[in-house]
Amino acid sequence: MKLGIVGLPNVGKSTLFNAITNAGAQSANYPFCTIEPNVGMVSVPDERLEKLAEIYNPDKFTPAVIEFVDIAGLVKGAAKGEGLGNKFLSNIREVDAIVHVVRCFESTDIIHVEGSVDPVRDIETINIELILSDLEIVGRRLDKAQKALKGDKSMAAEVEFLKRLTQHLESGKSARSIEATEDYEKEILATTSLLSFKPVIYACNMSEDDFKGGIDNNENYKKVKEIADSENAEILPICAAIEAEISTLDDDEKMLFLEELGLDRSGLDRMIQKCYSLLGLISYLTAGKPEVRAWTITKGTKAPQAAGKIHSDFERGFIRAEVVSFDDFMSCGGSMTAAKEKGLVRSEGKEYVMKDGDIVLFRFNV
């Protein structure tokens, strides 16, 4: 999973990126500090995997990972190549979801590229650039569909939807907020590679005082929440300065620090949870002495396709999956033998839909 961290210059993007990846991206108080995108890999925290590692003491421990990409700050005119616009748009096109960092704090020490703090304006600035890029793409597809319509009347429905989508975008609304009820409409959205259709988490970067004082007291946060609700997007209140401090602590110190803030998880953990929810992802687990590992799949994935995540031969020669839920496994003292004796290990075929936390052994033959 690849997530792109975007936002206007000086909203806290690189500070947040540094905190969650410890990758040491350059962070400075002027626009275009980030030119080439910085990339950092982050392990997905999973207590289930850690408990399996305690039981099996494996030679190899492999959690799921997320790739974070810190993309250059955007300014007006990016769709026309202003600033680093073309590079920004090409980088964002490659990510699975967008973490849009929005400045929700006041500070005289940190300049704002627009001269004042206004999250609604800032969100609109970036969204408009994405929408302008999308209008070009939809326009080309509409031209192609209209030409095809002359010899194939079945293209009429696609043409009508593309016209409706064009009007929706021209009104300043993102593609992800359009109502698409028909399967062919959803298919068009899924295959047209629209930037404003990508899933979004609005990360509201607050000051330490605002974050500790209660997020609902922050008027800027409330404004961003209204936008997120209207777009079917997620929202994440976060303080990049606090995350930066947490990133330097060991696990015990981190837990104490979070408890003082009244939190049970770091901003990174909360962000990952929202990303999984937003993209409809789950994890299944494989466990043994050689390796304990988490595998990320989409909800609704069937057993053979899940096996294919490990190796294409597993899917091609799939026979069955021996499955036990993590909770059932732990209720048997972490013993696969005991789980089998209690009938909790199931033999599942090709139509089995994988569940989050399944511990699986795939049987195959090629």
Side-chain angles (χ1 to χ4, degrees), residues 235-257:
I235 187 167
L236 176 72
I238 200 164
C239 174
I242 289 175
E243 293 301 312
E245 191 169 349
I246 290 173
S247 69
T248 65
L249 304 176
D250 62 34
D251 288 344
D252 289 339
E253 290 175 325
K254 186 182 296 184
M255 289 307 300
L256 286 172
F257 189 87

Side-chain angles (χ1 to χ4, degrees), residues 10-50:
N10 296 345
V11 297
K13 287 189 302 80
S14 294
T15 301
L16 182 60
F17 174 82
N18 289 344
I20 63 181
T21 66
N22 282 320
Q26 187 182 6
S27 178
N29 186 23
Y30 55 89
F32 306 130
C33 174
T34 304
I35 298 176
E36 292 299 327
N38 297 295
V39 177
M41 306 296 288
V42 175
S43 297
V44 176
D46 192 332
E47 291 182 0
R48 301 169 304 189
L49 204 65
E50 293 172 4

Side-chain angles (χ1 to χ4, degrees), residues 238-312:
I238 200 164
C239 174
I242 289 175
E243 293 301 312
E245 191 169 349
I246 290 173
S247 69
T248 65
L249 304 176
D250 62 34
D251 288 344
D252 289 339
E253 290 175 325
K254 186 182 296 184
M255 289 307 300
L256 286 172
F257 189 87
L258 289 172
E259 283 176 13
E260 288 177 7
L261 294 174
L263 299 172
D264 58 353
R265 287 170 298 169
S266 69
L268 171 60
D269 290 352
R270 290 183 288 119
M271 184 186 296
I272 289 173
Q273 182 186 43
K274 284 186 179 290
C275 288
Y276 266 65
S277 173
L278 196 64
L279 295 171
L281 301 176
I282 60 173
S283 294
Y284 75 84
L285 314 170
T286 53
K289 177 59 179 172
E291 184 179 28
V292 165
R293 182 164 182 163
W295 304 85
T296 303
I297 55 174
T298 305
K299 284 179 184 175
T301 299
K302 293 183 178 179
Q305 288 70 51
K309 291 283 289 185
I310 299 175
H311 197 285
S312 58

Side-chain angles (χ1 to χ4, degrees), residues 81-94:
E82 295 291 330
L84 299 165
N86 292 330
K87 183 173 284 291
F88 173 94
L89 295 173
S90 64
N91 288 331
I92 202 172
R93 204 172 297 282
E94 298 172 1

Side-chain angles (χ1 to χ4, degrees), residues 57-353:
N57 190 26
D59 299 328
K60 191 176 181 183
F61 178 81
T62 312
V65 295
I66 292 178
E67 182 177 344
F68 282 95
V69 184
D70 177 23
I71 300 172
L74 188 70
V75 293
K76 289 178 182 177
K80 297 177 182 178
E82 295 291 330
L84 299 165
N86 292 330
K87 183 173 284 291
F88 173 94
L89 295 173
S90 64
N91 288 331
I92 202 172
R93 204 172 297 282
E94 298 172 1
V95 303
D96 299 308
I98 298 167
V99 178
H100 185 162
V101 183
V102 185
R103 179 167 166 176
C104 292
F105 66 91
E106 299 284 349
S107 172
T108 55
D109 297 326
I110 302 175
I111 60 173
H112 190 290
V113 71
E114 294 287 349
S116 62
V117 175
D118 183 346
V120 175
R121 178 203 59 211
D122 293 355
I123 289 172
E124 186 177 85
T125 296
I126 285 191
N127 281 351
I128 289 299
E129 297 306 324
L130 301 185
I131 288 167
L132 288 172
S133 175
D134 287 347
L135 276 168
E136 285 189 27
I137 294 171
V138 173
R140 289 197 295 268
R141 179 155 181 169
L142 178 57
D143 287 343
K144 187 176 179 180
Q146 286 175 324
K147 289 174 183 176
L149 178 61
K150 295 175 181 177
D152 182 1
K153 298 304 179 185
S154 67
M155 294 295 293
E158 179 171 331
V159 168
E160 286 306 308
F161 178 68
L162 288 170
K163 286 181 178 178
R164 183 160 68 90
L165 178 57
T166 299
Q167 292 175 345
H168 184 82
L169 293 169
E170 286 177 341
S171 70
K173 297 175 182 175
S174 63
R176 62 184 163 269
S177 65
I178 194 170
E179 186 176 343
T181 54
E182 302 295 333
D183 288 342
Y184 77 88
E185 294 175 342
K186 295 173 184 176
E187 178 69 15
I188 290 170
L189 288 171
T191 58
T192 311
S193 189
L194 301 178
L195 298 179
S196 70
F197 186 64
K198 288 185 180 290
V200 169
I201 295 174
Y202 288 111
C204 298
N205 188 17
M206 302 180 181
S207 70
E208 195 166 338
D209 287 341
D210 280 349
F211 194 76
K212 290 178 179 178
I215 58 173
D216 291 329
N217 295 324
N218 186 301
E219 292 301 319
N220 287 325
Y221 170 78
K222 293 178 183 177
K223 293 174 184 176
V224 177
K225 190 173 188 310
E226 285 183 17
I227 294 173
D229 290 344
S230 70
E231 289 187 350
N232 301 315
E234 289 277 3
I235 187 167
L236 176 72
I238 200 164
C239 174
I242 289 175
E243 293 301 312
E245 191 169 349
I246 290 173
S247 69
T248 65
L249 304 176
D250 62 34
D251 288 344
D252 289 339
E253 290 175 325
K254 186 182 296 184
M255 289 307 300
L256 286 172
F257 189 87
L258 289 172
E259 283 176 13
E260 288 177 7
L261 294 174
L263 299 172
D264 58 353
R265 287 170 298 169
S266 69
L268 171 60
D269 290 352
R270 290 183 288 119
M271 184 186 296
I272 289 173
Q273 182 186 43
K274 284 186 179 290
C275 288
Y276 266 65
S277 173
L278 196 64
L279 295 171
L281 301 176
I282 60 173
S283 294
Y284 75 84
L285 314 170
T286 53
K289 177 59 179 172
E291 184 179 28
V292 165
R293 182 164 182 163
W295 304 85
T296 303
I297 55 174
T298 305
K299 284 179 184 175
T301 299
K302 293 183 178 179
Q305 288 70 51
K309 291 283 289 185
I310 299 175
H311 197 285
S312 58
D313 283 351
F314 281 39
E315 181 176 358
R316 186 159 55 93
F318 179 88
I319 299 172
R320 68 180 185 276
E322 296 178 4
V323 184
V324 60
S325 75
F326 174 80
D327 289 340
D328 284 346
F329 177 73
M330 293 306 296
S331 73
C332 296
S335 166
M336 194 62 73
T337 301
K340 287 178 179 178
E341 289 173 352
K342 291 186 177 182
L344 297 173
V345 179
R346 311 181 306 277
S347 181
E348 302 286 2
K350 293 182 178 180
E351 294 304 308
Y352 176 68
V353 177

